[in-house]
Amino acid sequence: MNKIFQFLCGCLAQIGRPFGWSYEKISVYLCIHLWPLLCVVMALVMLGIAVSTTNPLWITACIIYFLFNSFGYWAVIKHYYPGTINEIFTHCYSDLMTIAKEWNTTYAIVNLFVYVLALILIMTFDVSLILLML
């Protein structure tokens, strides 16, 4: 797991390099902003599809899901801001270390679970629902 984690950290650093961003900066922008915003956007897409089907059950479910994702993003932002990029990165690192300690595992495993596995599961769920609505 540690090798996968190190590889992904290297990928993040390479993604940030063309923008002149540090590993910490790209991590904050991707993990604190882009991933949650992607969930919000997917929920909005689902809502648009639900509206086009005119199915009140799908519309209601998608409105709730969109609000849930939007609230989640707001909660993440409220938890980490205000702060500089380095302060936000350090705060997030501290949160993940606390979870790792609670789960009796490593920071790398928690990080992979939260930012890779959970995102894959959420996106799979979203795409599955979209296909079900079509």
Side-chain angles (χ1 to χ4, degrees), residues 18-125:
F19 304 103
W21 294 349
S22 66
Y23 168 76
E24 290 81 4
K25 190 171 198 171
I26 191 67
S27 294
V28 167
Y29 287 157
L30 245 63
C31 299
I32 303 295
H33 291 287
L34 184 61
W35 283 184
L37 279 174
L38 182 59
C39 293
V40 171
V41 168
M42 286 295 286
L44 192 57
V45 167
M46 292 167 60
L47 178 57
I49 292 170
V51 167
S52 74
T53 68
T54 66
N55 180 324
L57 182 60
W58 279 122
I59 293 169
T60 303
C62 289
I63 287 170
I64 292 168
Y65 191 59
F66 172 73
L67 292 173
F68 175 78
N69 278 284
S70 298
F71 176 77
Y73 180 57
W74 174 82
V76 166
I77 296 305
K78 185 152 177 57
H79 181 71
Y80 290 110
Y81 282 88
T84 66
I85 292 295
N86 286 335
E87 290 169 342
I88 294 166
F89 180 86
T90 302
H91 188 177
C92 185
Y93 174 81
S94 175
D95 289 345
L96 294 175
M97 285 298 289
T98 300
I99 294 169
K101 200 176 282 186
E102 297 248 340
W103 290 358
N104 294 318
T105 190
T106 66
Y107 167 80
I109 289 175
V110 171
N111 196 301
L112 289 170
F113 178 80
V114 170
Y115 294 113
V116 178
L117 183 60
L119 182 69
I120 289 169
L121 291 173
I122 292 167
M123 289 300 113
T124 300
F125 175 78

